[in-house]
Amino acid sequence: MAKVYKKTSGNESIALYLGKRDFVDHVESVDVVDGVIKVDPAELDGRKVWVYLACAFRYGSDDLDVIGLSFRKDIWVKRVQIYPVVGTKPANTPMQEALLKKCGDQGHPFTFTIDTNLPCSVGLQPAPEDAGKSCGVDYEVKAYIAKEADDPDEKISKKDTCRLIIRKIQFAPGKVGAGPKADISKNFMMSDKPVHLEASIEKELYFHGDPIPVNVKINNETTKVVKKIKITVEQTTEVLLYQSDKYSKTVFTEEFAEEIKGESTLEKTFTVIPLLSNNKEKRGLAVDGRLKDEDTNLASTTIIRPGMDKGMQGIMVSYKIKVNLLVSSGGLLGGLTARVLT
């Protein structure tokens, strides 16, 4: 185990240990969240120790919570009593065995299984001048001291809690289908023949940072000249929980100086690489969940499986590649969609 993630409560009565903070959604299953809570019972005063895993949608900073409004909506929560121990515990995982060696006799293991229909960690990129936590879906493991697991009348002090943010990240499916293809034709004034444009990509799925070859075929049957080819990648984000909000932002655009004269053809492959590093200033861009100030990527495409509730996804993300031709007397648009995943 290369690194241990640890968070201790303010009163030092409990400490949370995790061996990792990224948990992979393999489509059919999700990595088990396994950790250990170290408990010093001396200061519990008859109270119990609990741990929960919560998936929540955040749509405002905690600093704005000044009139009793909550800017966080829990999508899914599971709670487990850690101390005193109740019932039988499953066998420890290798990760828990390693963590228990660091905790000693006061260590108590816990395990959570994340439902496969829950969203992956995703956030909306704030503007450079914005402060506080950004809008998005996150996962939190929190240990706390309380008399009951979830009593709304019981006030839990911050010094009696410790928490770590974790990420549920999307893993690309093993089978990758063929890529999409789109074609369009357009007639121009004073010309009885059209310009044909066909665009395609080889597969429907690409990893972050992978070059995406876009195959372009042009048949210019007119007497006009195609002056440029413009390729754009758009990210479409749909926010589902707090309001119906859907918008698109360009994450890549480039013009290629390819001249196709009248009554001629062109068949060529152009490479595009959409990267977050080129879009750092765009507020509202969907990005994969971020831990503190670590680098992240453009958000992965949301995979909706049969039977899944779209409303539980919080934020849905998709991508589209557009190919435009600049013709001497007007523009011609062709479009195709592509999935971009981690």
Side-chain angles (χ1 to χ4, degrees), residues 192-211:
D192 59 348
K193 293 184 178 181
V195 175
H196 301 280
L197 168 64
E198 178 185 299
S200 65
I201 53 178
E202 295 179 357
K203 55 184 182 179
E204 65 173 353
L205 182 151
Y206 290 87
F207 293 91
H208 288 304
D210 279 356

PDB file of all heavy atoms in Angstrom, residues 192-211:
ATOM      1  N   ASP A 192     -26.794  23.941 -59.699  1.00  0.00           N
ATOM      2  CA  ASP A 192     -27.770  22.853 -59.666  1.00  0.00           C
ATOM      3  C   ASP A 192     -27.202  21.575 -59.068  1.00  0.00           C
ATOM      4  O   ASP A 192     -27.888  20.553 -58.997  1.00  0.00           O
ATOM      5  CB  ASP A 192     -28.297  22.576 -61.073  1.00  0.00           C
ATOM      6  CG  ASP A 192     -27.174  22.201 -62.038  1.00  0.00           C
ATOM      7  OD1 ASP A 192     -26.007  22.385 -61.654  1.00  0.00           O
ATOM      8  OD2 ASP A 192     -27.482  21.736 -63.155  1.00  0.00           O
ATOM      9  N   LYS A 193     -25.950  21.612 -58.631  1.00  0.00           N
ATOM     10  CA  LYS A 193     -25.334  20.439 -58.012  1.00  0.00           C
ATOM     11  C   LYS A 193     -24.879  20.779 -56.590  1.00  0.00           C
ATOM     12  O   LYS A 193     -24.572  21.932 -56.292  1.00  0.00           O
ATOM     13  CB  LYS A 193     -24.145  19.955 -58.849  1.00  0.00           C
ATOM     14  CG  LYS A 193     -24.561  19.400 -60.210  1.00  0.00           C
ATOM     15  CD  LYS A 193     -23.360  18.841 -60.952  1.00  0.00           C
ATOM     16  CE  LYS A 193     -23.791  18.246 -62.296  1.00  0.00           C
ATOM     17  NZ  LYS A 193     -22.624  17.681 -63.027  1.00  0.00           N
ATOM     18  N   PRO A 194     -24.800  19.766 -55.701  1.00  0.00           N
ATOM     19  CA  PRO A 194     -24.499  20.030 -54.296  1.00  0.00           C
ATOM     20  C   PRO A 194     -23.030  19.788 -53.931  1.00  0.00           C
ATOM     21  O   PRO A 194     -22.237  19.288 -54.717  1.00  0.00           O
ATOM     22  CB  PRO A 194     -25.380  19.004 -53.577  1.00  0.00           C
ATOM     23  CG  PRO A 194     -25.332  17.822 -54.502  1.00  0.00           C
ATOM     24  CD  PRO A 194     -25.275  18.381 -55.912  1.00  0.00           C
ATOM     25  N   VAL A 195     -22.722  20.134 -52.682  1.00  0.00           N
ATOM     26  CA  VAL A 195     -21.480  19.713 -52.026  1.00  0.00           C
ATOM     27  C   VAL A 195     -21.855  18.623 -51.030  1.00  0.00           C
ATOM     28  O   VAL A 195     -22.773  18.799 -50.222  1.00  0.00           O
ATOM     29  CB  VAL A 195     -20.801  20.871 -51.278  1.00  0.00           C
ATOM     30  CG1 VAL A 195     -19.583  20.370 -50.504  1.00  0.00           C
ATOM     31  CG2 VAL A 195     -20.402  21.972 -52.236  1.00  0.00           C
ATOM     32  N   HIS A 196     -21.178  17.494 -51.102  1.00  0.00           N
ATOM     33  CA  HIS A 196     -21.418  16.381 -50.179  1.00  0.00           C
ATOM     34  C   HIS A 196     -20.321  16.351 -49.117  1.00  0.00           C
ATOM     35  O   HIS A 196     -19.136  16.456 -49.445  1.00  0.00           O
ATOM     36  CB  HIS A 196     -21.418  15.035 -50.929  1.00  0.00           C
ATOM     37  CG  HIS A 196     -22.449  14.934 -52.008  1.00  0.00           C
ATOM     38  ND1 HIS A 196     -23.766  14.642 -51.752  1.00  0.00           N
ATOM     39  CD2 HIS A 196     -22.339  15.096 -53.346  1.00  0.00           C
ATOM     40  CE1 HIS A 196     -24.433  14.616 -52.902  1.00  0.00           C
ATOM     41  NE2 HIS A 196     -23.577  14.892 -53.883  1.00  0.00           N
ATOM     42  N   LEU A 197     -20.727  16.186 -47.878  1.00  0.00           N
ATOM     43  CA  LEU A 197     -19.776  16.051 -46.776  1.00  0.00           C
ATOM     44  C   LEU A 197     -20.115  14.804 -45.978  1.00  0.00           C
ATOM     45  O   LEU A 197     -21.269  14.595 -45.600  1.00  0.00           O
ATOM     46  CB  LEU A 197     -19.830  17.280 -45.860  1.00  0.00           C
ATOM     47  CG  LEU A 197     -19.105  17.158 -44.503  1.00  0.00           C
ATOM     48  CD1 LEU A 197     -17.610  16.969 -44.692  1.00  0.00           C
ATOM     49  CD2 LEU A 197     -19.386  18.382 -43.639  1.00  0.00           C
ATOM     50  N   GLU A 198     -19.109  13.984 -45.727  1.00  0.00           N
ATOM     51  CA  GLU A 198     -19.276  12.816 -44.860  1.00  0.00           C
ATOM     52  C   GLU A 198     -18.172  12.844 -43.805  1.00  0.00           C
ATOM     53  O   GLU A 198     -17.004  13.072 -44.120  1.00  0.00           O
ATOM     54  CB  GLU A 198     -19.188  11.517 -45.662  1.00  0.00           C
ATOM     55  CG  GLU A 198     -19.313  10.256 -44.812  1.00  0.00           C
ATOM     56  CD  GLU A 198     -19.107   8.992 -45.611  1.00  0.00           C
ATOM     57  OE1 GLU A 198     -19.889   8.748 -46.552  1.00  0.00           O
ATOM     58  OE2 GLU A 198     -18.137   8.242 -45.305  1.00  0.00           O
ATOM     59  N   ALA A 199     -18.547  12.639 -42.547  1.00  0.00           N
ATOM     60  CA  ALA A 199     -17.583  12.626 -41.449  1.00  0.00           C
ATOM     61  C   ALA A 199     -17.820  11.391 -40.595  1.00  0.00           C
ATOM     62  O   ALA A 199     -18.960  10.993 -40.359  1.00  0.00           O
ATOM     63  CB  ALA A 199     -17.709  13.886 -40.601  1.00  0.00           C
ATOM     64  N   SER A 200     -16.735  10.786 -40.107  1.00  0.00           N
ATOM     65  CA  SER A 200     -16.862   9.580 -39.287  1.00  0.00           C
ATOM     66  C   SER A 200     -15.660   9.433 -38.374  1.00  0.00           C
ATOM     67  O   SER A 200     -14.601  10.036 -38.600  1.00  0.00           O
ATOM     68  CB  SER A 200     -16.994   8.342 -40.182  1.00  0.00           C
ATOM     69  OG  SER A 200     -15.804   8.152 -40.936  1.00  0.00           O
ATOM     70  N   ILE A 201     -15.835   8.641 -37.314  1.00  0.00           N
ATOM     71  CA  ILE A 201     -14.718   8.250 -36.466  1.00  0.00           C
ATOM     72  C   ILE A 201     -14.739   6.730 -36.342  1.00  0.00           C
ATOM     73  O   ILE A 201     -15.783   6.092 -36.509  1.00  0.00           O
ATOM     74  CB  ILE A 201     -14.778   8.909 -35.070  1.00  0.00           C
ATOM     75  CG1 ILE A 201     -16.130   8.667 -34.394  1.00  0.00           C
ATOM     76  CG2 ILE A 201     -14.498  10.392 -35.160  1.00  0.00           C
ATOM     77  CD1 ILE A 201     -16.218   9.254 -32.995  1.00  0.00           C
ATOM     78  N   GLU A 202     -13.577   6.135 -36.060  1.00  0.00           N
ATOM     79  CA  GLU A 202     -13.436   4.691 -36.145  1.00  0.00           C
ATOM     80  C   GLU A 202     -14.160   3.947 -35.036  1.00  0.00           C
ATOM     81  O   GLU A 202     -14.663   2.847 -35.237  1.00  0.00           O
ATOM     82  CB  GLU A 202     -11.945   4.312 -36.123  1.00  0.00           C
ATOM     83  CG  GLU A 202     -11.171   4.816 -37.345  1.00  0.00           C
ATOM     84  CD  GLU A 202      -9.705   4.457 -37.273  1.00  0.00           C
ATOM     85  OE1 GLU A 202      -9.295   3.866 -36.239  1.00  0.00           O
ATOM     86  OE2 GLU A 202      -8.978   4.756 -38.228  1.00  0.00           O
ATOM     87  N   LYS A 203     -14.223   4.512 -33.834  1.00  0.00           N
ATOM     88  CA  LYS A 203     -14.868   3.833 -32.709  1.00  0.00           C
ATOM     89  C   LYS A 203     -15.677   4.840 -31.907  1.00  0.00           C
ATOM     90  O   LYS A 203     -15.500   6.053 -32.044  1.00  0.00           O
ATOM     91  CB  LYS A 203     -13.832   3.129 -31.829  1.00  0.00           C
ATOM     92  CG  LYS A 203     -12.711   4.035 -31.328  1.00  0.00           C
ATOM     93  CD  LYS A 203     -11.668   3.252 -30.551  1.00  0.00           C
ATOM     94  CE  LYS A 203     -10.569   4.172 -30.017  1.00  0.00           C
ATOM     95  NZ  LYS A 203      -9.556   3.432 -29.231  1.00  0.00           N
ATOM     96  N   GLU A 204     -16.559   4.331 -31.043  1.00  0.00           N
ATOM     97  CA  GLU A 204     -17.469   5.230 -30.327  1.00  0.00           C
ATOM     98  C   GLU A 204     -16.895   5.708 -28.996  1.00  0.00           C
ATOM     99  O   GLU A 204     -17.505   6.519 -28.306  1.00  0.00           O
ATOM    100  CB  GLU A 204     -18.802   4.528 -30.065  1.00  0.00           C
ATOM    101  CG  GLU A 204     -18.706   3.331 -29.135  1.00  0.00           C
ATOM    102  CD  GLU A 204     -20.064   2.770 -28.759  1.00  0.00           C
ATOM    103  OE1 GLU A 204     -21.071   3.410 -29.123  1.00  0.00           O
ATOM    104  OE2 GLU A 204     -20.117   1.722 -28.106  1.00  0.00           O
ATOM    105  N   LEU A 205     -15.744   5.221 -28.606  1.00  0.00           N
ATOM    106  CA  LEU A 205     -15.207   5.526 -27.288  1.00  0.00           C
ATOM    107  C   LEU A 205     -13.713   5.854 -27.370  1.00  0.00           C
ATOM    108  O   LEU A 205     -12.960   5.145 -28.028  1.00  0.00           O
ATOM    109  CB  LEU A 205     -15.431   4.321 -26.372  1.00  0.00           C
ATOM    110  CG  LEU A 205     -15.005   4.384 -24.908  1.00  0.00           C
ATOM    111  CD1 LEU A 205     -15.898   3.489 -24.092  1.00  0.00           C
ATOM    112  CD2 LEU A 205     -13.555   3.965 -24.742  1.00  0.00           C
ATOM    113  N   TYR A 206     -13.329   6.931 -26.694  1.00  0.00           N
ATOM    114  CA  TYR A 206     -11.917   7.321 -26.622  1.00  0.00           C
ATOM    115  C   TYR A 206     -11.579   7.697 -25.188  1.00  0.00           C
ATOM    116  O   TYR A 206     -12.416   8.231 -24.454  1.00  0.00           O
ATOM    117  CB  TYR A 206     -11.622   8.504 -27.556  1.00  0.00           C
ATOM    118  CG  TYR A 206     -11.677   8.130 -29.017  1.00  0.00           C
ATOM    119  CD1 TYR A 206     -12.874   8.157 -29.728  1.00  0.00           C
ATOM    120  CD2 TYR A 206     -10.531   7.714 -29.690  1.00  0.00           C
ATOM    121  CE1 TYR A 206     -12.926   7.790 -31.065  1.00  0.00           C
ATOM    122  CE2 TYR A 206     -10.573   7.349 -31.016  1.00  0.00           C
ATOM    123  CZ  TYR A 206     -11.768   7.383 -31.697  1.00  0.00           C
ATOM    124  OH  TYR A 206     -11.815   7.014 -33.020  1.00  0.00           O
ATOM    125  N   PHE A 207     -10.331   7.420 -24.780  1.00  0.00           N
ATOM    126  CA  PHE A 207      -9.873   7.786 -23.454  1.00  0.00           C
ATOM    127  C   PHE A 207      -9.435   9.250 -23.451  1.00  0.00           C
ATOM    128  O   PHE A 207      -9.104   9.822 -24.481  1.00  0.00           O
ATOM    129  CB  PHE A 207      -8.693   6.900 -23.034  1.00  0.00           C
ATOM    130  CG  PHE A 207      -9.058   5.457 -22.838  1.00  0.00           C
ATOM    131  CD1 PHE A 207      -8.958   4.560 -23.891  1.00  0.00           C
ATOM    132  CD2 PHE A 207      -9.517   5.005 -21.612  1.00  0.00           C
ATOM    133  CE1 PHE A 207      -9.299   3.225 -23.717  1.00  0.00           C
ATOM    134  CE2 PHE A 207      -9.856   3.680 -21.435  1.00  0.00           C
ATOM    135  CZ  PHE A 207      -9.748   2.780 -22.486  1.00  0.00           C
ATOM    136  N   HIS A 208      -9.418   9.843 -22.255  1.00  0.00           N
ATOM    137  CA  HIS A 208      -8.940  11.219 -22.129  1.00  0.00           C
ATOM    138  C   HIS A 208      -7.505  11.326 -22.624  1.00  0.00           C
ATOM    139  O   HIS A 208      -6.643  10.514 -22.277  1.00  0.00           O
ATOM    140  CB  HIS A 208      -9.000  11.677 -20.673  1.00  0.00           C
ATOM    141  CG  HIS A 208     -10.399  11.916 -20.188  1.00  0.00           C
ATOM    142  ND1 HIS A 208     -11.265  12.770 -20.815  1.00  0.00           N
ATOM    143  CD2 HIS A 208     -11.077  11.412 -19.137  1.00  0.00           C
ATOM    144  CE1 HIS A 208     -12.414  12.791 -20.171  1.00  0.00           C
ATOM    145  NE2 HIS A 208     -12.323  11.966 -19.151  1.00  0.00           N
ATOM    146  N   GLY A 209      -7.256  12.330 -23.436  1.00  0.00           N
ATOM    147  CA  GLY A 209      -5.920  12.549 -23.969  1.00  0.00           C
ATOM    148  C   GLY A 209      -5.622  11.779 -25.232  1.00  0.00           C
ATOM    149  O   GLY A 209      -4.595  12.023 -25.869  1.00  0.00           O
ATOM    150  N   ASP A 210      -6.497  10.839 -25.603  1.00  0.00           N
ATOM    151  CA  ASP A 210      -6.283  10.089 -26.842  1.00  0.00           C
ATOM    152  C   ASP A 210      -6.526  10.984 -28.054  1.00  0.00           C
ATOM    153  O   ASP A 210      -7.493  11.755 -28.081  1.00  0.00           O
ATOM    154  CB  ASP A 210      -7.242   8.903 -26.930  1.00  0.00           C
ATOM    155  CG  ASP A 210      -6.766   7.703 -26.135  1.00  0.00           C
ATOM    156  OD1 ASP A 210      -5.653   7.781 -25.576  1.00  0.00           O
ATOM    157  OD2 ASP A 210      -7.498   6.703 -26.075  1.00  0.00           O
ATOM    158  N   PRO A 211      -5.691  10.890 -29.082  1.00  0.00           N
ATOM    159  CA  PRO A 211      -6.011  11.563 -30.356  1.00  0.00           C
ATOM    160  C   PRO A 211      -7.270  10.934 -30.959  1.00  0.00           C
ATOM    161  O   PRO A 211      -7.442   9.713 -30.931  1.00  0.00           O
ATOM    162  CB  PRO A 211      -4.779  11.288 -31.227  1.00  0.00           C
ATOM    163  CG  PRO A 211      -3.701  10.856 -30.281  1.00  0.00           C
ATOM    164  CD  PRO A 211      -4.393  10.186 -29.140  1.00  0.00           C
TER     165      PRO A 211
END
